């Protein structure tokens, strides 16, 4: 069986170091807001190339607390609009509605599946205050174009970097482009904790200070509460584990890329659309960290079954678009044809740093032997 992602194998490779980190935390007697968190925050901000990193409990909180902080700072108010890709994971949108802000769902670029500047520009109104690009599947959105739009219209940019640790364009990493960026360390992400975790990166001193308070009951100093904050902290144990795993992130991205090369060169089936690569040049996508390898086919259910029959596990990211979720029943009449077709057709092939070339070749040949025969 070729697993979609073998988390056990990934963590097993660094088991001794993870155990040493656990032992260090257990023996320290200090479990919240200590030196492990500080060390991880420093290491991760250095890695991303930002001045600050603020650890929080998860990726959703990273996004949500940043919007909340901007409200506390007077940069946003209830009812302001936030432009977000319609084909994102629901967390990007929940962060907006949680703050009584209004998500404006925009269709993605049909090739990259990321937010495109033309679609964004058409969606900008007098109420627009924030752009929330998602670096979907590990590919950086078109940040230079989005930044020039943001400058022109005086908008803030919050990157959703939950799938894009280390993704870059011309050497500048995800997390360093926007006014702030939210990361998730959910176990299955490219940089995954052994539980939940998240962080915000930013160069803005004031924002960093407000976020540090918001994540901790709104308090800078014990028993003095400036804001009605929340409890959303990255604990010492997860911070210590993440510090270990951060050292291996670049190597693991290279390992992912080796599998991707095999897929891109080997999969040749007219019924399967491969992910976007600039001019079909794999090396042109140096900055892509390949969190997911997402193909498209009109025969998704059939292909999924065919791959299963060949012992290959696949997943769907994501089967139902946000505007068709019951949670947002008021949007059920909105029509976003490209987003809807993407959700009908996408399928994520197995991809991870511990996958072997042999396994990748098996996936390639199973994809190539698929043909949709049968009554339409
Ligand atoms: C995983 C993910 C999140 C949420 O992260 P959690 O840590 O699970 O809360 C947000 N946005 C995107 C695009 C994600 O993939």
């Amino acid at each position: 069986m070729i697993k979609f992602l073998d988390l056990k194998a990934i963590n097993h490779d660094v088991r001794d170091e993870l155990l040493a980190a656990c032992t260090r935390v257990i023996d320290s007697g200090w479990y919240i807001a200590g030196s492990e968190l500080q060390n991880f925050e420093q290491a991760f901000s250095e890695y991303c190339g930002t001045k600050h990193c603020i650890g929080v409990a998860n990726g959703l909180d990273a996004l949500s607390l940043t919007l909340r902080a901007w409200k506390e700072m007077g940069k946003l108010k209830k009812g302001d609009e936030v432009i977000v890709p319609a084909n994102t994971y629901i967390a990007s949108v929940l962060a907006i509605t949680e703050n009584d802000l209004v998500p404006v769902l925009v269709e993605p670029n049909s090739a990259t599946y990321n937010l495109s500047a033309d679609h964004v520009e058409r969606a900008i109104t007098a109420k627009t205050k924030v752009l929330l690009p998602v670096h979907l599947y590990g590919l950086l959105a078109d940040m230079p174009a989005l930044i020039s739009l943001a400058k022109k219209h005086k908008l803030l940019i919050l990157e959703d970097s939950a799938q894009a640790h280390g993704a870059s364009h011309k050497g500048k990493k995800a997390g360093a482009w926007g006014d702030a960026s939210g990361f998730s360390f959910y176990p299955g992400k490219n940089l995954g904790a052994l539980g939940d975790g998240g962080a915000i990166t930013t160069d803005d001193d004031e924002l960093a200070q407000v976020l540090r308070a918001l994540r901790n009951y709104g308090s800078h100093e014990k028993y003095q509460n400036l804001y009605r904050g929340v409890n959303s902290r990255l604990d010492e144990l997860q911070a210590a584990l993440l510090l270990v795993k951060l050292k291996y992130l670049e190597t693991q991205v290279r390992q992912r890329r080796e599998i991707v090369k095999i897929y891109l060169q080997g999969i040749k089936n007219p019924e399967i659309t491969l992910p976007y690569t600039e001019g079909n040049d794999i090396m042109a996508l140096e900055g892509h960290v390949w969190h997911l390898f997402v193909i498209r086919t009109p025969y998704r259910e059939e292909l999924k079954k065919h791959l299963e029959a060949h012992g290959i596990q696949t997943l769907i990211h994501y089967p139902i678009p946000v505007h068709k979720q019951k949670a947002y029943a008021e949007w059920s009449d909105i029509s976003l044809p490209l987003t809807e077709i993407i959700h009908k057709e996408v399928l994520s092939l197995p991809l991870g740093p511990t996958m072997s070339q042999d396994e990748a070749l098996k996936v390639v040949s199973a994809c190539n032997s698929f043909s949709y025969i049968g009554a339409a």
Side-chain angles (χ1 to χ4, degrees):
M1 171 76 175
I2 301 176
K3 283 190 188 165
F4 175 74
L5 178 69
D6 194 345
L7 276 181
K8 189 169 152 181
I10 292 170
N11 289 323
H12 192 87
D13 280 353
V14 291
R15 190 170 183 276
D16 290 343
E17 277 187 80
L18 293 175
L19 282 173
C22 288
T23 306
R24 193 171 69 231
V25 173
I26 292 167
D27 292 350
S28 76
W30 191 276
Y31 307 116
I32 296 276
S35 60
E36 301 288 347
L37 176 65
Q38 263 181 7
N39 291 342
F40 174 71
E41 287 179 338
Q42 192 184 338
F44 195 64
S45 63
E46 270 168 24
Y47 176 77
C48 295
T50 59
K51 204 164 161 191
H52 304 282
C53 168
I54 302 97
V56 292
N58 54 65
L60 172 58
D61 283 1
L63 298 169
S64 175
L65 289 176
T66 303
L67 295 170
R68 169 78 193 277
W70 281 336
K71 284 173 84 182
E72 297 291 352
M73 290 161 72
K75 295 190 174 196
L76 293 181
K77 59 176 191 316
K78 188 176 170 174
D80 284 345
E81 291 177 359
V82 180
I83 294 180
V84 63
N87 59 319
T88 185
Y89 180 55
I90 196 167
S92 324
V93 180
L94 288 171
I96 300 168
T97 54
E98 234 177 64
N99 281 290
D100 296 318
L101 301 166
V102 179
V104 176
L105 304 174
V106 167
E107 294 261 54
N109 176 294
S110 61
T112 65
Y113 310 134
N114 270 337
L115 213 49
S116 84
D118 342 329
H119 295 180
V120 169
E121 184 145 40
R122 270 180 264 138
I124 292 174
T125 72
K127 284 188 164 178
T128 308
K129 290 284 145 42
V130 182
L131 303 183
L132 204 163
V134 181
H135 308 309
L136 204 63
Y137 313 147
L139 175 66
L140 210 75
D142 186 357
M143 294 312 292
L146 294 174
I147 286 172
S148 51
L149 265 188
K151 284 205 176 117
K152 184 170 153 197
H153 297 273
K154 297 198 166 53
L155 310 174
L156 294 161
I157 296 186
L158 171 56
E159 302 170 67
D160 182 339
S161 303
Q163 302 189 0
H165 318 76
S168 64
H169 174 68
K170 296 190 174 154
K172 187 167 172 174
K173 289 202 175 87
W177 291 86
D179 297 280
S181 173
F183 285 88
S184 163
F185 307 122
Y186 178 79
K189 308 288 186 188
N190 282 16
L191 177 58
L194 277 72
D196 274 313
I200 302 108
T201 56
T202 183
D203 285 333
D204 182 334
D205 297 339
E206 189 192 350
L207 175 65
Q209 206 182 13
V210 176
L211 282 167
R212 284 183 201 288
L214 281 178
R215 72 173 172 186
N216 189 36
Y217 308 111
S219 167
H220 286 276
E221 252 178 83
K222 213 166 189 185
Y223 308 129
Q224 302 230 18
N225 299 74
L226 290 171
Y227 314 102
R228 298 174 194 180
V230 298
N231 176 353
S232 178
R233 299 179 296 216
L234 183 63
D235 63 66
E236 289 289 280
L237 199 52
Q238 295 305 336
L241 297 170
L242 283 165
L243 201 52
V244 170
K245 295 195 71 180
L246 180 58
K247 287 194 295 185
Y248 298 97
L249 177 59
E250 292 280 307
T251 307
Q252 291 180 338
V253 168
R254 277 196 294 278
Q255 290 165 329
R256 284 173 179 271
R257 208 170 271 143
E258 290 306 311
I259 302 303
V260 166
K261 266 189 212 164
I262 295 173
Y263 284 171
L264 289 174
Q265 284 163 355
I267 301 174
K268 289 188 173 70
N269 186 330
E271 281 160 1
I272 294 174
T273 306
L274 292 173
Y276 168 82
T277 50
E278 242 165 60
N280 279 328
D281 178 2
I282 299 159
M283 296 320 290
L285 284 180
E286 276 270 291
H288 196 325
V289 294
W290 296 103
H291 173 56
L292 297 171
F293 189 93
V294 178
I295 59 169
R296 266 173 74 182
T297 172
Y299 314 112
R300 178 172 69 194
E301 284 321 302
E302 292 80 5
L303 178 60
K304 193 171 180 15
K305 281 206 193 95
H306 172 85
L307 294 175
E308 248 160 43
H310 284 76
I312 296 162
Q313 186 191 17
T314 56
L315 294 179
I316 297 170
H317 300 91
Y318 301 93
I320 305 170
V322 177
H323 67 288
K324 297 293 178 196
Q325 296 286 357
K326 290 212 175 88
Y328 292 113
E330 69 271 34
W331 298 338
S332 64
D333 292 336
I334 296 179
S335 166
L336 294 158
L338 178 58
T339 296
E340 286 160 33
I341 209 160
I342 288 172
H343 284 75
K344 273 202 191 89
E345 295 192 348
V346 288
L347 188 66
S348 307
L349 298 185
L351 179 59
T354 59
M355 227 178 129
S356 69
Q357 300 211 343
D358 189 47
E359 288 175 315
L361 290 168
K362 281 189 182 134
V363 174
V364 167
S365 74
C367 284
N368 289 345
S369 70
F370 172 74
S371 77
Y372 179 70
I373 335 163

